[in-house]
Amino acid sequence: MPEALSRRELFACKPAPHCRLKLPAHTYRVISDLGIAALRTHRGSRGGKSAKRARSLKKFVSLGLINARSINKRAAVIHHFLHSTSIDVLAITETWFTIDHGSDDLRAFCPDGYSAVHVPRCGSKGGGVAILYRNTIRVDPPPSDLTISATSFEWLSLSLVVNSVSIRLIVVYRPPRSCIPTFLTEFSCLLDLLIDMPGKLLVVGDFNFHVDLAEDGSARRFRDVVDSHGLCQHVKEATHVHGHTLDLVLSRKSDNLVSDAFVSELISDHFAVISVLRAHRPPLPKKVVSFRSLSSIDVDNLMADLKLIPMIAEPSSTMEGLIEQYNIGVAGVISSHAPTKIRSFVIRPENQWFSMDIAAMRRLCRKFERIWRRRGLTVDREILLHHRRSLAGLISTAKSSFLRNKIAECGSDRRSLFSLLDRCLTGRKELTLPRHSSPGDLATEFGHFFNRKIADIRADLEKLSLPTSPACEFASSTTLSVFDPVNAAEIIELVLDCPSKSSFLDPIPTYLLKKVIHVLAKPIANLVNISLSSGAFPSSLKCAYVTPLLKKPSLSAEHFKNYRPVSGLSFISKLIERVVLKRLIRHLSESNLLASVQSAYRASHSTETALLRVLNDLLSYVSSGDCAVLALLDLSAAFDTVDHSILLSRLESNFGLTGKALSWLRSYLTGRRQSVRINGATSDPTPLVYGVPQGSVLGPVLFILYTTPLFGVMNDYGVSFHFFADDTQAYTRFSTKDDGSSQSTAFQRMADCVAGAGSWMQQNKLQNNVSKLDALIVSADGTKHPPASLPLAIGADVIIPSPCVKNLGVVIDSHLSLEAQIRSVCKKAFYQIRRISRIRKFLDPPTCNSLVCALVSPHLDYANSLYYGLPEYLLDRLQRVQNAAARLVIGANRFASSKALLKSLHWLPVRARIQYKIAVLGYRCINGCAPSYLCDLITKYVPIRALRSSHSNDLCVPKIKCNRYGRRSFMSAAPSVWNQLPLSLKLSPDLNTFCAELKTHLFRLYNQPC
């Protein structure tokens, strides 16, 4: 018998001549679970409709997956399948090829024009995976670092290049009797390695999970692993005669690789599955654009010309005149330095790194290529290859320099870094819009729809004929009659702190304005002071231009209700608002007029602190043996239906705004207009009679002042609650040790509270969308007295509690395990790691580190104070994400020590980051710079008599049940973490010093030698 070929030798195998399928007897054995994945290129005739269909189908590649169990004549079936469907790549599971005879059998299976590679099962019969591929497809062997010792499944990896699209094909076979926990762990490790691999990912094979059964525990855990790595399963029908889905096709959602998947003919007791892949690049469209060469502007010359504009040389005495001078003068200077140019070009991937040297080298390469093709000499070919290598080096150097400079310019601005990475990988995204004949008509239709939506909501509220809510009981003891004037230094500070976003209304881009603000600061301050002293907001700045944006990519683009209106205001308008907001917040803080349970738009308050208090209460309830019900209220178009008369009355009676300050706010709210803008076409302006301005700076703060009396309304029902802008969280506890009366009472109390809040909202012209209300019953896992799954009846609406809800970006489940949240975090972080890995070869480690810290670490750090005390296996998932990010930054292989990598990057591991967050919050609570609702949970330890521990600055550990729920609550976690810190660290003079020393302490603690 001939010797078996190695894997690399098999890559060089040439197809055997066509045979009549007279194979040796041992090849006709019965096989089980034969899974075949195929990439098929559609071809058609040259003329008529068939040619047109063939040309359109060439934009796609077909993937076939079949499972041919108990087929004796395997060669005949495979030949028939390959020839009848024009398959280019065939992946086989359960080949039953042995090490001794696998090569000969595999060559016999290959038709003319095909080659093969095979990995047999070692040590026992059966198993084995193989791939047959057409010779016209370029196939690269797997990288040397893509190795994993898997005992629970068999797999094979190939890199296919189809129509210039690189596809990483993974064929997997899991025997039915393999250990499921071992398989989930090993398969997760394989997916971890594939995160930073180049090309699109395609995983096919027989996994032997009934993924169609939602109640199947093994399938559910497998789906969790797949989902956490950003993969989606495309086979939606049964692939087995008994009605279960066993053969799967997995791909990344971000790759957008699989266009369609459907079940085809029955091969044996398994059906064939055909999937259409997007593997052909579409034609490049053309576009006409107008642009300015702003990068060529000399800032010094620009500042010299700005000093001569009328706004500075001869300023107007009126507010509207100053705005006109600003817009016309600044726009004229910008036009003289960077005139508008119009150009038509083919839309290609942006090559901002392209240089003249690269263009010259490309011309030289083309010259030597023509010489080589004409003469065919070996020396000409060597010269061409030499220059091509030089060209590749120039391109790589240019890309690296470009990305490093761009990332350095973005600094710590995460939004800018995300946009930069998005442009580098996918190009500029076009605006998704419904089908339309002209942008102007579509803008008019959108304008009518948005106005009609608000009018319908207001009309429904008016039909209720409810009395206007009376003024709330509290009132400000101080008043604010005038806003303090602003000076040039404050204007400079505010402008430099603003995000660098611009509107088409701005005569100068914001990033360029920041460079010349020292010239314009004084006239802008004069403009703002005239507005504040006159108690009027400029009417020319009251028009907002709305862009309709699709809420989610999965929604239909043809329905207007799936679009969200995003307003664009001029920078000067927002700057005036920032000046007013700064003075308004100072007045509210000094008078203590903001509700303690409102966490939006307040210093030291955040979504994480709000979540921490809510979860602390829920964990305390569960720890004591009780249960709880959590309700998340939803408002429809909350900002757009605010009544101006009610808001102004409330600002005067409850928040002490009078005189010019109140007049300015009245002028700011009234007389506003809105126009929809789509691709340069705008609709006619329509008046905005209701609502606070969308996209404004003052709008959100005015909304929370408008809804402040709601706190007192909900407090009357004995329900705990918390607010973040228009997100309302209400919860109450109950016991299940009685006959259920406590739960019924709690549900009735919650229903009355939601109904009462809805009644108040209706009185104040806000619509509470009860149909979108989320309810969650919280209880301990494995409790002896589980709560009943009762519905929440609110009037005529019946709300069925969900198994998990999403609250302020965190997924909370009924047992507070946060397993779904950890899975969501891993999925998002792995997605970003994958994106960064595509440009990693052009980045040096420091630049890649800054990119990872901006795009990956925030997912691990957001609300990580909620993860304290979670089981180790959940924290290990997060640690694997961080380890993958560290390997990406360093460029290390999977065998490198994760601890050493984190130490070299000076990164704290996940568990240390959790302790760091809790310790910082504890320091802020002790020093009174944290939200009051967190400070109330912390108590300093006061000894009965003088002891050496009297000066330890410890916190009291509350007397709660130290079970897995009680120790996770903030009131227990904060003292536990704080008391373990050294005394010198606890006595840090300020927060910055404490944070720096705390990181050093934790870094040394977690890097001690074992």
Side-chain angles (χ1 to χ4, degrees), residues 90 280 498 530 534-535 549 576 579 625 711 815 859 897:
L90 192 64
H280 193 288
C498 289
I530 292 177
S534 62
L549 296 181
I576 299 175
V579 174
F711 308 146
H815 298 309
H859 291 295
S897 171

Side-chain angles (χ1 to χ4, degrees), residues 726-935:
D726 58 338
D727 291 314
T728 305
Q729 311 154 79
Y731 52 97
T732 186
R733 68 190 302 175
F734 60 87
S735 175
T736 57
K737 297 179 182 179
D738 51 16
D739 55 355
S741 59
S742 177
Q743 182 177 358
S744 300
T745 303
F747 271 58
Q748 185 61 46
R749 187 165 61 247
M750 178 62 71
D752 294 342
C753 177
V754 174
S759 177
W760 182 91
M761 292 176 184
Q762 291 172 355
Q763 295 172 14
N764 289 268
K765 313 306 178 186
L766 300 175
Q767 187 179 57
N768 182 25
N769 195 346
V770 181
S771 62
K772 291 187 177 180
L773 184 144
D774 285 329
L776 178 72
I777 300 177
V778 178
S779 63
D781 186 15
T783 180
K784 295 181 179 179
H785 307 282
S789 182
L790 299 178
L792 195 63
I794 304 172
D797 297 292
V798 178
I799 307 302
I800 305 299
S802 305
C804 61
V805 296
K806 192 170 186 178
N807 184 23
L808 299 179
V810 173
V811 183
I812 303 176
D813 57 274
S814 57
H815 298 309
L816 303 179
S817 66
L818 297 184
E819 185 170 355
Q821 168 63 13
I822 299 297
R823 185 167 62 249
S824 175
V825 169
C826 293
K827 179 179 178 180
K828 295 175 183 177
F830 275 132
Y831 171 72
Q832 295 298 338
I833 292 175
R834 165 65 186 165
R835 285 162 59 84
I836 298 173
S837 68
R838 293 174 61 184
I839 60 172
R840 175 61 183 90
K841 61 182 178 180
F842 304 115
L843 306 176
D844 56 0
T847 306
C848 184
N849 186 14
S850 62
L851 205 58
V852 167
C853 290
L855 301 180
V856 178
S857 297
H859 291 295
L860 300 176
D861 292 339
Y862 175 67
N864 63 343
S865 57
L866 307 179
Y867 305 157
Y868 184 84
L870 287 181
E872 294 296 320
Y873 77 93
L874 291 178
L875 299 181
D876 287 340
R877 291 185 185 177
L878 297 177
Q879 190 59 59
R880 284 200 294 268
V881 174
Q882 191 184 41
N883 295 344
R887 289 196 301 269
L888 178 65
V889 173
I890 299 297
N893 57 38
R894 62 179 298 269
F895 301 104
S897 171
S898 300
K899 186 175 181 180
L901 293 178
L902 297 179
K903 183 177 181 180
S904 64
L905 293 171
H906 213 268
W907 287 1
L908 291 177
V910 169
R911 291 167 177 79
R913 296 168 92 96
I914 295 173
Q915 295 184 15
Y916 176 89
K917 180 70 72 64
I918 293 177
V920 170
L921 288 172
Y923 181 90
R924 290 171 55 190
C925 289
I926 292 174
N927 293 274
C929 54
S932 58
Y933 52 78
L934 288 185
C935 295

Side-chain angles (χ1 to χ4, degrees), residues 644-657:
H644 292 167
S645 60
I646 298 177
L647 174 58
L648 292 171
S649 174
R650 194 157 290 158
L651 291 175
E652 182 178 11
S653 60
N654 303 127
F655 298 100
L657 271 72

